[in-house]
Amino acid sequence: MPTKPFSFQAECLTEIPNAAGPLDAKEEILNECESIWKQMEECQSKLKLVGTEALLPSDAKTSLLMLLWRSLAVGGHDWKIRNPDLPSTSPDVLLELGKEELQKVKNDLEMVLLAVQSKNKQLEEDLKREEQWYEQQKQMLDTLNKMEEEANTQVEQLSTKRESDELEKKILKVRTYKRELLDALGDFLDEHFPQPEEGENTEKKNFSAEPAVELITLKDILEILINKLMSTPHEPYVTINESFWPPYIELLLRYGIALRHPEDSNRMRLQAFHI
């Protein structure tokens, strides 16, 4: 075990300022240090005198570990039975040592404080960056939500417009089909049920001096019945006058196209096929 020169420790102790205590206190500390150092040299000499047996290279490491354990055990036993001694009983020396320890503790605490402040500053900067990132993400999310709402609104408007266009097309198609049906029905009635001639209404010629009323076509009769049914559905009956040719009236009643009033035979209505 290499020995450390005592002069190094002495130099360290000489760094204590003269104003901290009297000269005899320094000499007392030096004497105590020399005594401790001599005890350490004696322990080192005793360890050197311990004999070792010849060992194989494979057991060298084990032997060294055993010697180290033995020396540590002896040192630990000595420290157990030994009462701790103060380096000095002088109040000035103890005061100086206490000041040095407090200064070391102060320096350590200042270093810890600086490290904590630096860490806090770093954490504050990280927190500020995280908050900025959060605000950016929040603004982006709000923008995306607005875009989604606008897109949904546009889709709904397009869907509504498309449905409205389709409905208009259907209505136009139905109206066209209705006009075609009415035109076809009018052509059919004009061809097969023309307007009766004035000579065919001979029932009242020999019994009345009044001029004969002009008869209307079956198409006109149906138009009158349809308009009455659609304009006043609660009162769909039409009064039969002299312009209605009786054969046409009989035709409508026989095939269920028109119905007579249950209480007045001179009134009739169109059958409500749309109900």
Side-chain angles (χ1 to χ4, degrees), residues 139-151:
Q139 292 177 0
M140 185 180 300
L141 182 61
D142 294 339
T143 303
L144 291 176
N145 289 333
K146 291 181 180 179
M147 292 175 62
E148 182 181 5
E149 292 178 357
E150 292 177 357

Side-chain angles (χ1 to χ4, degrees), residues 116-128:
V116 172
Q117 290 177 348
S118 177
K119 186 66 176 178
N120 288 340
K121 185 177 180 181
Q122 183 66 31
L123 291 175
E124 289 177 356
E125 293 177 355
D126 294 341
L127 178 61
K128 188 176 181 180

Side-chain angles (χ1 to χ4, degrees), residues 190-202:
D190 291 338
E191 180 180 358
H192 299 281
F193 302 95
Q195 182 178 7
E197 297 179 0
E198 296 180 0
E200 295 180 358
N201 190 10
T202 56

Side-chain angles (χ1 to χ4, degrees), residues 182 185-186 189-190 216-231 236 238 244 252 257 268 270:
L182 292 176
L185 179 61
L189 294 176
D190 291 338
I216 60 178
T217 62
L218 181 61
K219 176 182 176 180
D220 296 334
I221 296 175
L222 290 174
E223 186 176 354
I224 293 173
L225 294 174
I226 292 172
N227 292 335
K228 184 64 175 178
L229 178 64
M230 300 305 296
S231 61
V238 175
F244 288 26
L252 296 176
I257 300 175
M268 68 176 183
L270 185 71

Side-chain angles (χ1 to χ4, degrees), residues 14-272:
T14 57
E15 294 178 359
I16 300 175
N18 294 330
L23 183 61
D24 54 353
K26 294 183 180 180
E27 294 179 354
E28 183 180 354
I29 292 175
L30 293 174
N31 293 332
E32 290 181 359
C33 291
E34 289 178 356
S35 177
I36 294 173
W37 187 256
K38 288 181 180 179
Q39 292 178 5
M40 293 177 62
E41 289 180 344
E42 291 177 359
C43 292
Q44 183 179 1
S45 299
K46 291 179 181 180
L47 290 175
K48 288 182 178 180
L49 294 176
V50 177
T52 58
E53 299 178 355
L55 298 175
L56 297 175
S58 61
D59 297 334
K61 186 175 181 180
T62 305
S63 177
L64 292 175
L65 291 174
M66 291 297 295
L67 288 175
L68 180 60
W69 174 79
R70 189 180 301 171
S71 63
L72 291 175
V74 172
H77 179 72
D78 293 341
W79 280 106
K80 284 182 180 179
I81 63 178
R82 181 181 177 184
N83 293 327
D85 297 331
L86 294 174
S88 176
T89 58
S90 175
D92 296 331
V93 174
L94 294 177
L95 178 61
E96 181 64 22
L97 294 175
K99 287 182 178 180
E100 291 181 357
E101 291 297 327
L102 289 176
Q103 185 66 31
K104 291 180 180 179
V105 173
K106 178 183 177 182
N107 294 335
D108 294 340
L109 291 177
E110 288 178 351
M111 293 178 63
V112 172
L113 179 61
L114 291 176
V116 172
Q117 290 177 348
S118 177
K119 186 66 176 178
N120 288 340
K121 185 177 180 181
Q122 183 66 31
L123 291 175
E124 289 177 356
E125 293 177 355
D126 294 341
L127 178 61
K128 188 176 181 180
R129 285 195 298 269
E130 292 293 334
E131 289 178 349
Q132 292 178 353
W133 179 84
Y134 172 75
E135 291 296 331
Q136 292 176 357
Q137 296 298 320
K138 185 177 180 181
Q139 292 177 0
M140 185 180 300
L141 182 61
D142 294 339
T143 303
L144 291 176
N145 289 333
K146 291 181 180 179
M147 292 175 62
E148 182 181 5
E149 292 178 357
E150 292 177 357
N152 292 333
T153 303
Q154 291 178 359
V155 170
E156 291 178 357
Q157 291 177 353
L158 290 175
S159 178
T160 304
K161 187 175 183 302
R162 189 182 303 111
E163 293 177 356
S164 177
D165 293 341
E166 292 179 356
L167 183 60
E168 289 180 358
K169 290 180 180 179
K170 290 181 180 179
I171 293 174
L172 181 60
K173 187 176 180 180
V174 170
R175 288 177 178 175
T176 303
Y177 183 67
K178 175 185 176 183
R179 185 160 50 262
E180 292 176 355
L181 286 178
L182 292 176
D183 293 340
L185 179 61
D187 295 339
F188 177 80
L189 294 176
D190 291 338
E191 180 180 358
H192 299 281
F193 302 95
Q195 182 178 7
E197 297 179 0
E198 296 180 0
E200 295 180 358
N201 190 10
T202 56
E203 294 183 1
K204 297 184 179 180
K205 280 187 177 181
N206 298 326
F207 303 97
S208 176
E210 298 179 0
V213 179
E214 183 179 2
L215 300 175
I216 60 178
T217 62
L218 181 61
K219 176 182 176 180
D220 296 334
I221 296 175
L222 290 174
E223 186 176 354
I224 293 173
L225 294 174
I226 292 172
N227 292 335
K228 184 64 175 178
L229 178 64
M230 300 305 296
S231 61
T232 56
H234 58 282
E235 183 60 33
Y237 289 96
V238 175
T239 301
I240 302 173
N241 54 38
E242 295 180 354
S243 63
F244 288 26
W245 196 38
Y248 284 165
I249 296 174
E250 186 67 23
L251 177 65
L252 296 176
L253 295 174
R254 179 177 298 178
Y255 290 100
I257 300 175
L259 299 175
R260 284 189 184 274
H261 195 281
E263 298 179 357
D264 187 357
S265 59
N266 290 325
R267 300 176 65 190
M268 68 176 183
R269 55 165 291 182
L270 185 71
Q271 179 67 274

